[in-house]
Amino acid sequence: MLFDVFETVLRVEALGDRFRDVGRPAHEWELFFTRTLRDGMALTLAGQAPPFGEVARAALRTTVGHTLTDEALDHVLSGFAHLPPHRDVEPALVTLARARVPAYAFTHGDPRTACDALDRAGLRTYLRGVHSAEAIASFKPPARVYDWVCAQVDTPPERVALVAAHSWDVHGAVRAGMVGGLATRLEGAVPTVVDRPHVSAERVDLVVDGLLALPG
């Protein structure tokens, strides 16, 4: 089972403290992160995407109106390695461990950043590995990204589930032939414009329970 990292496993809203540290409003974290994902997806559509860190730095400069020094930008961006976990994630990973179902992280960006954050959150011990779409110069959700990660875990797509709090991510996985589990705590409900996930619930642990209960 694959888990998206940023906003599904780790609380990106905690970056708000970093924005305050450099004299910016805390709420700018959301526009910054949304811009980063949007720009990464657009660059992927146009060809190979630059590394997540480069896309994020450019999006951050735009968000703050080009007012921050490089040191201040570094301070905000380094916050990705210090994000706290959502409370519903560890119970889900414990359930999978007890069921002997392997779990992996599947993210954007430098996998070392995700590993550092997952280590600090005490969650990486539950994971067999951490995979990033950056390895193929892409952002989610093109089908090739999901095909690639299924190859990394040596399992056919129809036997791999993705758990995410982003409906577009789950949509991409379902379109690629995978099993999709959407935690609706971010968006409130399943949007009408995406393919239906196989399981949806407010919390990640409930999504995992539902996925384990699927036939076959």
Side-chain angles (χ1 to χ4, degrees):
M1 196 171 293
L2 305 176
F3 288 82
D4 171 59
V5 175
F6 298 119
E7 288 194 314
T8 301
V9 173
L10 302 176
R11 292 176 46 235
V12 183
E13 65 184 14
L15 287 178
D17 292 338
R18 298 272 173 154
F19 278 84
R20 276 194 293 262
D21 289 344
V22 297
R24 300 297 303 185
H27 67 78
E28 286 186 340
W29 78 266
E30 188 167 14
L31 178 58
F32 152 65
F33 189 61
T34 301
R35 273 183 167 148
T36 299
L37 294 178
R38 179 203 65 186
D39 293 351
M41 291 175 187
L43 291 163
T44 296
L45 285 171
Q48 290 191 329
F52 178 90
E54 294 179 18
V55 178
R57 181 174 288 267
L60 181 55
R61 287 188 188 277
T62 301
T63 300
V64 301
H66 302 273
T67 61
L68 296 183
T69 65
D70 285 338
E71 291 76 13
L73 295 173
D74 289 342
H75 178 71
V76 174
L77 294 172
S78 65
F80 277 105
H82 297 266
L83 298 176
H86 284 283
R87 294 180 180 177
D88 55 355
V89 174
E90 186 168 19
L93 294 174
V94 169
T95 295
L96 290 176
R98 289 173 175 166
R100 297 188 177 182
V101 174
Y104 303 84
F106 182 36
T107 187
H108 294 113
D110 188 335
R112 292 173 297 183
T113 299
C115 286
D116 286 347
L118 292 165
D119 278 335
R120 290 187 176 97
L123 298 178
R124 195 151 76 100
T125 185
Y126 297 105
L127 301 171
R128 295 278 186 92
V130 177
H131 301 289
S132 173
E134 191 163 292
I136 55 170
S138 183
F139 276 58
K140 304 172 190 178
R144 70 178 183 275
V145 174
Y146 304 100
D147 292 340
W148 171 82
V149 76
C150 288
Q152 301 310 299
V153 301
D154 195 25
T155 308
E158 66 272 15
R159 299 293 300 172
V160 181
L162 173 74
V163 179
H166 299 280
S167 59
W168 55 263
D169 196 0
V170 177
H171 171 85
V174 171
R175 283 290 178 97
M178 295 170 61
V179 179
L182 177 65
T184 59
R185 57 164 150 75
L186 179 64
E187 299 174 4
V190 180
T192 58
V193 293
V194 301
D195 286 2
R196 295 289 303 182
H198 295 79
V199 173
S200 63
E202 181 180 3
R203 304 197 316 261
V204 166
D205 54 340
L206 296 179
V207 170
V208 166
D209 288 344
L211 290 170
L212 291 176
L214 290 175

